[in-house]
Amino acid sequence: EHCAFLDIKIDPWGIVYIDGELVDTTPLKRPIAIALGEHMISVKHATLGERERKMIMDSTKLYQITFDLKNE
């Protein structure tokens, strides 16, 4: 199966969801394998709230995304 890889950095930390499904809490041990196509990336933090970004994975490469919850 063709997939991309997603490396997510969150400051200070957060719980990661992809398309509404729980993935893990950061820091992540390794990039996440994700099917090609459009995905909604959400991160939640107990006191800093929730942020979302739509991403389109159109190539089998490593995508990087950063959420700065303190300053966004």
Side-chain angles (χ1 to χ4, degrees), residues 16-23 34-42 52-55:
V16 177
Y17 294 83
I18 298 178
D19 299 326
E21 293 195 28
L22 175 65
V23 174
I34 187 169
L36 298 181
E38 185 176 284
H39 299 280
M40 183 61 71
I41 314 301
S42 305
E52 290 185 324
R53 290 195 197 148
K54 187 182 294 186
M55 293 189 71

Side-chain angles (χ1 to χ4, degrees), residues 2-67:
H2 294 286
C3 64
F5 292 90
L6 182 60
D7 185 28
I8 301 174
K9 305 280 191 240
I10 303 172
D11 184 31
W13 62 270
I15 302 169
V16 177
Y17 294 83
I18 298 178
D19 299 326
E21 293 195 28
L22 175 65
V23 174
D24 206 347
T25 301
T26 62
L28 300 175
K29 294 179 176 93
R30 65 180 70 91
I32 303 162
I34 187 169
L36 298 181
E38 185 176 284
H39 299 280
M40 183 61 71
I41 314 301
S42 305
V43 296
K44 295 181 183 179
H45 185 278
T47 58
L48 298 175
E50 180 178 353
R51 307 291 190 285
E52 290 185 324
R53 290 195 197 148
K54 187 182 294 186
M55 293 189 71
I56 298 174
M57 312 315 191
D58 59 2
S59 174
T60 56
K61 67 178 187 179
L62 176 65
Y63 291 83
Q64 295 182 317
I65 186 171
T66 301
F67 290 88

